[in-house]
Structure formats: structure tokens, C-alpha cells
Amino acid sequence: MTTEAESGTLPPDAAPDAASDAASDADAAPDRERHRERHQKRDHGRDPAPDRVPDAAPPRVLRYAALGDSLTAGIGDPVDGGWRGWAALLGAGVGDPGTGVRFHNFAVSGALTRDVEEKQTPAALAFAPDLASVVVGVNDTLRRAFDIQDLALRLDRACGALAAHGTVLLTTCLPDPGRMLGLPAPLALPLARRQRAVNAVVHALAARYDTVHLHMAEASWVADRSLWSADRLHPAERGHRMIAARFHALLAERGLALGPAPSLAADQPPPSRVATLRWLATSGTGWVARRCRDLLPELLRLAGDEVTHWARGTGARLDLHAELALSRALAALSPGAPLARMGE
């Protein structure tokens, strides 16, 4: 215990001499006892090892939800009688290697933006994901009742609901189906306008919610046929692996991918030209017919408009109408949106 002399309150030469030690000790005993009690009260509850570092909390299992249509469901990447796809490949590399990741794929083949908002988003919110990919829109462009404003509002509400709970979102723009299918220009151009409008909405929402955004509509991606399956609309295994690897790299830049990057090495060879032609001549025709069953009459009308405006030299009007519809859709989006981060 530090004495007053040692603490500097009294000069050292003011301490009592040896002749009076016994009397001084007797007189000072009550004071020492009170001093000891004060120290006991002050030290009560103090950590006996103040330099001890508390044990770190164990790593938390990351939760990843995938929302969307057949692209996210894994069509084009068959494994064990089912489908795997880029989302499952990505899920294996985003969690801490010590704890892994809980991955749930809510995507359904043929899903529209309406399905993502009304069915998949509530289910994903119940799952409480840290990461959620929201990739949808191509099927909407293949429907007669395509409405870019309705699509924009539904996608905004889905993204907003997830972001409000601190979920980090993954989004991507997509190539237009007319170009992928190699349709004639009068048929391809209307679909291209629709997909450009969808991509513009996705870009706007990606900026608003600060999503991890991947560009899949770029020419180099579309031109590499080895990335695409025989149906020309879904990635092959190599394409799915490429999407997963590119998303992983973007997540790693933000410190959100802690596991190894997905391998780019495919287990299966890409579809041959013969296999592609065989698919298009058999199941492909039926697939396109089912997807476009309510679009075909409308698409033929749109193709007629394309030819008429081309003949008159007024094709720019169709682009203008599409741009005005897109402007109205973007203006209808909610004025503000939460920008939550994982863990906040």
C-alpha cells in the first residue's frame, strides 16, 4: 500500500522517527483500517485481471438467399438429376470457412417479377438473409402484358423490403432474349427495347440500394457461346461458374466473401453445335412456344409495327415511346430507400 510520503503528499523527512514508531502505529491503526476499507470498496467488482482480453465471439454463419427465375434456379447446369447453378456455386464461397453458409434458393423457373415480390420476398425475409441475389425480368419481357412501370415498382418494393432488414443485395443486368435466340430483326428489336428498359430499372435500383452489381449484358459475355447452353437463353455449366466467380470477386472487394472463389473449370463439355440444333428442332421449339404463348400475337403485331416504321423511316418513334415509358417508370419509384449494410 502506498504511503502518503511515497505518494508525494508529504515530504519524506516529515515521516515519524523510530522512537515513536510504536505509539504512532497504535494511533494510526484506526486510520489504516479505514484506508483499507476504502480500497476494498473501490476495488469491489473490478476485474482481477484487467489486462485479460475477452474471448472473441465465434464466427457467425452467413445466410444467403437467392431469388429469381430459371437463371438462378440453375437451368443449364445439371447435377445428380437436378440443377445446381451459379447461386449454389457462389454460396459455397461466401461464408467463413470455419462456419460455412446457410444457402436457400427460392428461385423458380418461369418466375415473373410479380412472383419475386409476392411469393419469394416474404419467404426470403423469414429466412433473414445477410446476402440476397435478386435476378429477374427476362420472363416479363416475353409476356403480352409487359408493363415496365409495374415491373419497376414491384422490383423496388422487393429490394426495399430486403435492404430495410440489413440485407446486402446482388443484382445483374441481362442480355435480351431476342439477340440470344437469334430472332429476325423485326421480332428481336421489340424484345431488345423491353430488356433495355428492364436493365435501366435494375441499374437505377442498384445505385439506390448500393447493390453488388454484375454486368451480364456486355457484348463479350453474349458473344462467347461456350458460356451458354443449347437453349441459348440459360448459361451452361461454364457460364454458371463464370457468373459465380465474378460475383465472388465483387463481394471480396467489399470484404463479404471469406471462402474460396468458385472454380472456373467445368466438369462437363459445353454443348456442341449438333446438340444445340437438335435441342432447337425438338424441345427448344416447344419451350419457346410455351414461354411465348401469350406473347406471340403481340410480338407479331410489334414486328408489323417495326416493319411499317422502317418502311416510313420513322423507327425512332418506337424508341421514343419506349424511353417515355421508362422515364415514367423511373419517376414512379419510391423517393427514398434505406441503405442498410450487413451487420448494421
Short mmCIF file of all heavy atoms in Angstrom, two decimals, residues 146-153 155 192-205 317-333:
data_model
loop_
_atom_site.label_atom_id
_atom_site.label_comp_id
_atom_site.label_asym_id
_atom_site.label_seq_id
_atom_site.Cartn_x
_atom_site.Cartn_y
_atom_site.Cartn_z
N PHE A 146 -46.61 -6.87 -70.85
CA PHE A 146 -45.40 -6.27 -70.30
C PHE A 146 -45.66 -4.83 -69.92
O PHE A 146 -46.16 -4.04 -70.72
CB PHE A 146 -44.27 -6.35 -71.33
CG PHE A 146 -43.01 -5.64 -70.90
CD1 PHE A 146 -42.17 -6.22 -69.96
CD2 PHE A 146 -42.67 -4.41 -71.45
CE1 PHE A 146 -41.01 -5.58 -69.57
CE2 PHE A 146 -41.50 -3.76 -71.07
CZ PHE A 146 -40.68 -4.35 -70.13
N ASP A 147 -45.32 -4.47 -68.69
CA ASP A 147 -45.55 -3.12 -68.17
C ASP A 147 -44.31 -2.73 -67.38
O ASP A 147 -44.11 -3.20 -66.25
CB ASP A 147 -46.79 -3.09 -67.29
CG ASP A 147 -47.15 -1.68 -66.81
OD1 ASP A 147 -46.25 -0.82 -66.77
OD2 ASP A 147 -48.32 -1.46 -66.45
N ILE A 148 -43.47 -1.88 -67.94
CA ILE A 148 -42.20 -1.55 -67.30
C ILE A 148 -42.41 -0.81 -65.98
O ILE A 148 -41.63 -0.97 -65.04
CB ILE A 148 -41.31 -0.71 -68.27
CG1 ILE A 148 -39.91 -0.52 -67.66
CG2 ILE A 148 -41.96 0.59 -68.60
CD1 ILE A 148 -39.17 -1.80 -67.37
N GLN A 149 -43.47 -0.02 -65.87
CA GLN A 149 -43.71 0.68 -64.61
C GLN A 149 -44.11 -0.30 -63.51
O GLN A 149 -43.63 -0.19 -62.37
CB GLN A 149 -44.78 1.76 -64.77
CG GLN A 149 -45.03 2.55 -63.50
CD GLN A 149 -45.86 3.79 -63.75
OE1 GLN A 149 -45.69 4.47 -64.76
NE2 GLN A 149 -46.77 4.11 -62.83
N ASP A 150 -44.98 -1.25 -63.83
CA ASP A 150 -45.37 -2.24 -62.84
C ASP A 150 -44.16 -3.07 -62.41
O ASP A 150 -43.98 -3.35 -61.22
CB ASP A 150 -46.45 -3.15 -63.43
CG ASP A 150 -46.90 -4.23 -62.46
OD1 ASP A 150 -47.59 -3.89 -61.47
OD2 ASP A 150 -46.54 -5.41 -62.67
N LEU A 151 -43.33 -3.45 -63.38
CA LEU A 151 -42.12 -4.20 -63.06
C LEU A 151 -41.20 -3.40 -62.14
O LEU A 151 -40.67 -3.93 -61.15
CB LEU A 151 -41.39 -4.59 -64.35
CG LEU A 151 -40.09 -5.37 -64.22
CD1 LEU A 151 -39.92 -6.32 -65.42
CD2 LEU A 151 -38.86 -4.46 -64.13
N ALA A 152 -41.01 -2.12 -62.46
CA ALA A 152 -40.11 -1.28 -61.66
C ALA A 152 -40.60 -1.16 -60.22
O ALA A 152 -39.81 -1.26 -59.27
CB ALA A 152 -39.98 0.10 -62.30
N LEU A 153 -41.89 -0.93 -60.04
CA LEU A 153 -42.43 -0.77 -58.69
C LEU A 153 -42.32 -2.06 -57.90
O LEU A 153 -42.00 -2.05 -56.70
CB LEU A 153 -43.89 -0.31 -58.77
CG LEU A 153 -44.10 1.10 -59.33
CD1 LEU A 153 -45.59 1.39 -59.50
CD2 LEU A 153 -43.46 2.15 -58.41
N LEU A 155 -40.16 -4.54 -58.34
CA LEU A 155 -38.76 -4.82 -58.04
C LEU A 155 -38.24 -3.88 -56.96
O LEU A 155 -37.45 -4.28 -56.09
CB LEU A 155 -37.93 -4.69 -59.32
CG LEU A 155 -36.54 -5.33 -59.31
CD1 LEU A 155 -36.62 -6.80 -58.94
CD2 LEU A 155 -35.88 -5.15 -60.67
N ALA A 192 -35.63 -6.41 -77.53
CA ALA A 192 -34.44 -5.68 -77.10
C ALA A 192 -34.82 -4.40 -76.36
O ALA A 192 -34.20 -4.05 -75.34
CB ALA A 192 -33.57 -5.35 -78.31
N ARG A 193 -35.83 -3.69 -76.85
CA ARG A 193 -36.27 -2.47 -76.16
C ARG A 193 -36.76 -2.80 -74.75
O ARG A 193 -36.49 -2.07 -73.80
CB ARG A 193 -37.39 -1.78 -76.95
CG ARG A 193 -36.95 -1.10 -78.22
CD ARG A 193 -38.05 -0.19 -78.75
NE ARG A 193 -37.70 0.27 -80.10
CZ ARG A 193 -38.06 -0.33 -81.20
NH1 ARG A 193 -38.82 -1.43 -81.13
NH2 ARG A 193 -37.70 0.11 -82.38
N ARG A 194 -37.50 -3.87 -74.66
CA ARG A 194 -38.04 -4.25 -73.35
C ARG A 194 -36.92 -4.61 -72.38
O ARG A 194 -36.92 -4.18 -71.22
CB ARG A 194 -39.01 -5.43 -73.50
CG ARG A 194 -40.30 -5.05 -74.21
CD ARG A 194 -41.26 -6.24 -74.29
NE ARG A 194 -42.57 -5.82 -74.80
CZ ARG A 194 -43.65 -6.59 -74.79
NH1 ARG A 194 -43.57 -7.83 -74.31
NH2 ARG A 194 -44.81 -6.14 -75.25
N GLN A 195 -35.94 -5.39 -72.85
CA GLN A 195 -34.86 -5.80 -71.94
C GLN A 195 -33.99 -4.60 -71.58
O GLN A 195 -33.50 -4.51 -70.44
CB GLN A 195 -34.01 -6.90 -72.58
CG GLN A 195 -33.01 -7.53 -71.60
CD GLN A 195 -33.69 -8.15 -70.41
OE1 GLN A 195 -34.61 -8.96 -70.55
NE2 GLN A 195 -33.26 -7.78 -69.20
N ARG A 196 -33.78 -3.67 -72.50
CA ARG A 196 -33.02 -2.46 -72.16
C ARG A 196 -33.74 -1.67 -71.08
O ARG A 196 -33.10 -1.11 -70.18
CB ARG A 196 -32.80 -1.60 -73.41
CG ARG A 196 -31.73 -2.12 -74.35
CD ARG A 196 -31.25 -1.01 -75.29
NE ARG A 196 -32.34 -0.43 -76.07
CZ ARG A 196 -32.70 -0.86 -77.27
NH1 ARG A 196 -32.08 -1.89 -77.83
NH2 ARG A 196 -33.68 -0.27 -77.94
N ALA A 197 -35.06 -1.62 -71.15
CA ALA A 197 -35.82 -0.91 -70.13
C ALA A 197 -35.69 -1.61 -68.78
O ALA A 197 -35.51 -0.96 -67.74
CB ALA A 197 -37.29 -0.81 -70.53
N VAL A 198 -35.77 -2.95 -68.78
CA VAL A 198 -35.60 -3.70 -67.54
C VAL A 198 -34.21 -3.45 -66.95
O VAL A 198 -34.06 -3.21 -65.74
CB VAL A 198 -35.82 -5.21 -67.78
CG1 VAL A 198 -35.45 -6.01 -66.52
CG2 VAL A 198 -37.26 -5.48 -68.18
N ASN A 199 -33.19 -3.49 -67.80
CA ASN A 199 -31.83 -3.25 -67.32
C ASN A 199 -31.66 -1.84 -66.77
O ASN A 199 -30.94 -1.64 -65.78
CB ASN A 199 -30.82 -3.50 -68.44
CG ASN A 199 -30.66 -4.98 -68.77
OD1 ASN A 199 -31.03 -5.84 -67.97
ND2 ASN A 199 -30.13 -5.27 -69.94
N ALA A 200 -32.32 -0.87 -67.37
CA ALA A 200 -32.23 0.51 -66.88
C ALA A 200 -32.85 0.60 -65.48
O ALA A 200 -32.32 1.31 -64.60
CB ALA A 200 -32.94 1.47 -67.83
N VAL A 201 -33.95 -0.09 -65.26
CA VAL A 201 -34.57 -0.11 -63.93
C VAL A 201 -33.63 -0.77 -62.93
O VAL A 201 -33.43 -0.27 -61.81
CB VAL A 201 -35.92 -0.84 -63.97
CG1 VAL A 201 -36.43 -1.14 -62.56
CG2 VAL A 201 -36.94 -0.02 -64.75
N VAL A 202 -33.03 -1.89 -63.32
CA VAL A 202 -32.11 -2.59 -62.42
C VAL A 202 -30.92 -1.71 -62.09
O VAL A 202 -30.46 -1.66 -60.94
CB VAL A 202 -31.66 -3.93 -63.05
CG1 VAL A 202 -30.57 -4.58 -62.21
CG2 VAL A 202 -32.85 -4.88 -63.18
N HIS A 203 -30.39 -1.00 -63.08
CA HIS A 203 -29.27 -0.09 -62.82
C HIS A 203 -29.66 0.99 -61.82
O HIS A 203 -28.89 1.33 -60.92
CB HIS A 203 -28.80 0.56 -64.12
CG HIS A 203 -28.08 -0.38 -65.03
ND1 HIS A 203 -28.04 -0.22 -66.40
CD2 HIS A 203 -27.37 -1.51 -64.78
CE1 HIS A 203 -27.34 -1.18 -66.94
NE2 HIS A 203 -26.92 -1.98 -65.98
N ALA A 204 -30.86 1.54 -61.98
CA ALA A 204 -31.31 2.59 -61.06
C ALA A 204 -31.44 2.05 -59.65
O ALA A 204 -31.03 2.71 -58.67
CB ALA A 204 -32.65 3.17 -61.54
N LEU A 205 -32.00 0.87 -59.50
CA LEU A 205 -32.16 0.28 -58.17
C LEU A 205 -30.81 -0.17 -57.60
O LEU A 205 -30.60 -0.10 -56.38
CB LEU A 205 -33.12 -0.91 -58.23
CG LEU A 205 -34.56 -0.54 -58.60
CD1 LEU A 205 -35.42 -1.81 -58.71
CD2 LEU A 205 -35.17 0.42 -57.57
N ARG A 317 -39.50 6.71 -83.61
CA ARG A 317 -40.67 6.94 -82.75
C ARG A 317 -40.87 5.79 -81.77
O ARG A 317 -41.30 6.02 -80.63
CB ARG A 317 -41.92 7.10 -83.63
CG ARG A 317 -41.94 8.35 -84.47
CD ARG A 317 -43.25 8.45 -85.25
NE ARG A 317 -43.27 9.63 -86.10
CZ ARG A 317 -44.29 9.95 -86.90
NH1 ARG A 317 -45.36 9.14 -86.96
NH2 ARG A 317 -44.24 11.03 -87.65
N LEU A 318 -40.60 4.57 -82.22
CA LEU A 318 -40.75 3.42 -81.32
C LEU A 318 -39.76 3.51 -80.16
O LEU A 318 -40.09 3.20 -79.02
CB LEU A 318 -40.54 2.12 -82.09
CG LEU A 318 -41.57 1.84 -83.20
CD1 LEU A 318 -41.18 0.59 -83.97
CD2 LEU A 318 -42.97 1.68 -82.59
N ASP A 319 -38.55 3.94 -80.46
CA ASP A 319 -37.56 4.13 -79.40
C ASP A 319 -38.01 5.23 -78.44
O ASP A 319 -37.84 5.12 -77.22
CB ASP A 319 -36.20 4.48 -79.98
CG ASP A 319 -35.59 3.33 -80.78
OD1 ASP A 319 -35.84 2.16 -80.40
OD2 ASP A 319 -34.88 3.60 -81.76
N LEU A 320 -38.57 6.28 -78.99
CA LEU A 320 -39.02 7.40 -78.16
C LEU A 320 -40.15 6.96 -77.23
O LEU A 320 -40.15 7.31 -76.04
CB LEU A 320 -39.49 8.56 -79.04
CG LEU A 320 -40.03 9.80 -78.31
CD1 LEU A 320 -38.96 10.37 -77.39
CD2 LEU A 320 -40.51 10.84 -79.31
N HIS A 321 -41.10 6.20 -77.75
CA HIS A 321 -42.19 5.72 -76.90
C HIS A 321 -41.66 4.85 -75.76
O HIS A 321 -42.13 4.95 -74.62
CB HIS A 321 -43.19 4.93 -77.75
CG HIS A 321 -43.97 5.78 -78.70
ND1 HIS A 321 -44.61 5.25 -79.80
CD2 HIS A 321 -44.20 7.11 -78.73
CE1 HIS A 321 -45.22 6.23 -80.47
NE2 HIS A 321 -44.97 7.37 -79.83
N ALA A 322 -40.68 4.01 -76.07
CA ALA A 322 -40.09 3.15 -75.04
C ALA A 322 -39.36 3.99 -73.99
O ALA A 322 -39.43 3.71 -72.78
CB ALA A 322 -39.14 2.15 -75.68
N GLU A 323 -38.68 5.03 -74.42
CA GLU A 323 -37.96 5.90 -73.48
C GLU A 323 -38.91 6.67 -72.58
O GLU A 323 -38.64 6.85 -71.39
CB GLU A 323 -37.06 6.87 -74.26
CG GLU A 323 -35.88 6.18 -74.95
CD GLU A 323 -35.14 7.14 -75.86
OE1 GLU A 323 -35.51 8.34 -75.90
OE2 GLU A 323 -34.19 6.70 -76.53
N LEU A 324 -40.03 7.11 -73.13
CA LEU A 324 -41.01 7.82 -72.31
C LEU A 324 -41.62 6.89 -71.27
O LEU A 324 -41.82 7.30 -70.11
CB LEU A 324 -42.11 8.41 -73.21
CG LEU A 324 -41.69 9.57 -74.12
CD1 LEU A 324 -42.84 9.97 -75.04
CD2 LEU A 324 -41.24 10.77 -73.28
N ALA A 325 -41.92 5.66 -71.67
CA ALA A 325 -42.47 4.69 -70.71
C ALA A 325 -41.45 4.41 -69.61
O ALA A 325 -41.82 4.30 -68.42
CB ALA A 325 -42.85 3.41 -71.42
N LEU A 326 -40.18 4.30 -69.97
CA LEU A 326 -39.14 4.07 -68.97
C LEU A 326 -39.01 5.27 -68.03
O LEU A 326 -38.87 5.09 -66.81
CB LEU A 326 -37.81 3.80 -69.66
CG LEU A 326 -36.59 3.67 -68.75
CD1 LEU A 326 -36.77 2.52 -67.76
CD2 LEU A 326 -35.32 3.50 -69.58
N SER A 327 -39.07 6.47 -68.56
CA SER A 327 -38.98 7.67 -67.73
C SER A 327 -40.10 7.72 -66.71
O SER A 327 -39.89 8.07 -65.53
CB SER A 327 -38.99 8.93 -68.61
OG SER A 327 -37.87 8.96 -69.47
N ARG A 328 -41.31 7.38 -67.13
CA ARG A 328 -42.43 7.36 -66.20
C ARG A 328 -42.23 6.30 -65.12
O ARG A 328 -42.57 6.51 -63.95
CB ARG A 328 -43.74 7.12 -66.96
CG ARG A 328 -44.21 8.30 -67.80
CD ARG A 328 -45.63 8.11 -68.28
NE ARG A 328 -45.73 6.99 -69.21
CZ ARG A 328 -45.63 7.10 -70.53
NH1 ARG A 328 -45.41 8.30 -71.08
NH2 ARG A 328 -45.75 6.05 -71.32
N ALA A 329 -41.67 5.16 -65.53
CA ALA A 329 -41.44 4.09 -64.57
C ALA A 329 -40.42 4.50 -63.51
O ALA A 329 -40.61 4.28 -62.32
CB ALA A 329 -40.97 2.83 -65.30
N LEU A 330 -39.34 5.13 -63.95
CA LEU A 330 -38.31 5.56 -63.00
C LEU A 330 -38.82 6.67 -62.09
O LEU A 330 -38.48 6.73 -60.90
CB LEU A 330 -37.06 6.02 -63.75
CG LEU A 330 -36.33 4.94 -64.56
CD1 LEU A 330 -35.17 5.54 -65.33
CD2 LEU A 330 -35.84 3.82 -63.65
N ALA A 331 -39.66 7.54 -62.65
CA ALA A 331 -40.21 8.63 -61.83
C ALA A 331 -41.18 8.10 -60.78
O ALA A 331 -41.39 8.76 -59.75
CB ALA A 331 -40.92 9.64 -62.73
N ALA A 332 -41.76 6.94 -61.02
CA ALA A 332 -42.74 6.39 -60.09
C ALA A 332 -42.10 5.65 -58.92
O ALA A 332 -42.79 5.28 -57.97
CB ALA A 332 -43.69 5.44 -60.82
N LEU A 333 -40.78 5.43 -58.99
CA LEU A 333 -40.12 4.72 -57.90
C LEU A 333 -40.18 5.52 -56.61
O LEU A 333 -40.32 6.75 -56.63
CB LEU A 333 -38.65 4.44 -58.27
CG LEU A 333 -38.42 3.50 -59.45
CD1 LEU A 333 -36.94 3.39 -59.74
CD2 LEU A 333 -39.02 2.13 -59.17
#
